[in-house]
Amino acid sequence: MGAINMTDFLAKCEGVITKLLFSILVAVVLVGSIARYSGYPVTWSVELSQSIFVWLGILSANQALRLHAHVVVDLFSGLINKVPLVAVTINIMHRLLMFSFLLFIVIHGYYLVIVSSGRTVSSIGFSYGWVVAAIPVGCLLLLITMMTQCVTDINEWRRIRRSTTQGKVI
């Protein structure tokens, strides 16, 4: 598989997993609510739903990044977008900065998973490492998305640079 096909495959898998987790989350919360209302509370429903919500949140963050749907502050975007080369250069620098931050989180998140794996989620009985693993796994997915977007930006930067050196006005 090429780079584009692999990212499409990851996006589809991530979408299926996210939909599945959301369905499970709704079912767990519904069962917990009905059981509590009936006078027979299910103690594990809250911790399980919180654990699922962590994974759901981090996977959804990557989907939002892929679709360029994150909230942005566009105070200067009107001015910057008038000079496409500057806008693309700023995007590339932003992505490289985010790449560094995400790599830092992946590395330290891995150690957090190791430290947390000895602890168990009390009412469910599985390792807390599975919950904490959402952080490095999600940030790794964000890194992959960020890299593909950065490659696109670099290609755009080259295209703009080529057209401006040939005397064309964009």
Side-chain angles (χ1 to χ4, degrees):
M1 279 190 200
I4 300 300
N5 291 337
M6 183 56 102
T7 55
D8 289 343
F9 176 73
L10 284 174
K12 288 180 183 178
C13 288
E14 188 177 77
V16 168
I17 291 169
T18 303
K19 289 173 187 169
L20 180 66
L21 285 175
F22 186 73
S23 299
I24 293 170
L25 177 66
V26 169
V28 168
V29 169
L30 183 65
V31 167
S33 299
I34 292 171
R36 193 175 324 111
Y37 180 76
S38 301
Y40 301 100
V42 181
T43 58
W44 52 264
S45 67
V46 173
E47 289 180 341
L48 182 59
S49 61
Q50 288 172 344
S51 301
I52 292 170
F53 191 75
V54 169
W55 276 94
L56 191 59
I58 198 79
L59 292 175
S60 298
N62 190 42
Q63 290 175 343
L65 179 65
R66 188 179 317 103
L67 299 172
H68 303 283
H70 277 207
V71 176
V72 295
V73 178
D74 58 357
L75 183 63
F76 299 110
S77 67
L79 296 172
I80 293 171
N81 288 337
K82 291 180 182 178
V83 186
L85 190 62
V86 172
V88 173
T89 303
I90 290 172
N91 274 344
I92 292 169
M93 290 179 358
H94 170 257
R95 293 191 200 289
L96 292 174
L97 182 65
M98 287 300 300
F99 184 85
S100 303
F101 175 73
L102 290 170
L103 188 61
F104 177 83
I105 298 296
V106 168
I107 292 167
H108 290 282
Y110 172 75
Y111 292 116
L112 183 62
V113 170
I114 292 172
V115 169
S116 301
S117 63
R119 182 177 158 206
T120 60
V121 179
S122 61
S123 63
I124 305 171
F126 65 83
S127 173
Y128 193 66
W130 286 105
V131 178
V132 176
I135 296 167
V137 169
C139 286
L140 189 62
L141 291 171
L142 286 163
L143 274 173
I144 293 168
T145 302
M146 190 74 63
M147 283 190 303
T148 58
Q149 290 177 350
C150 195
V151 167
T152 302
D153 285 346
I154 290 169
N155 290 336
E156 179 67 12
W157 185 87
R158 286 179 180 157
R159 186 191 66 75
I160 293 170
R161 186 82 173 145
R162 239 178 300 164
S163 65
T164 56
T165 56
Q166 294 173 354
K168 296 179 184 174
V169 177
I170 295 179

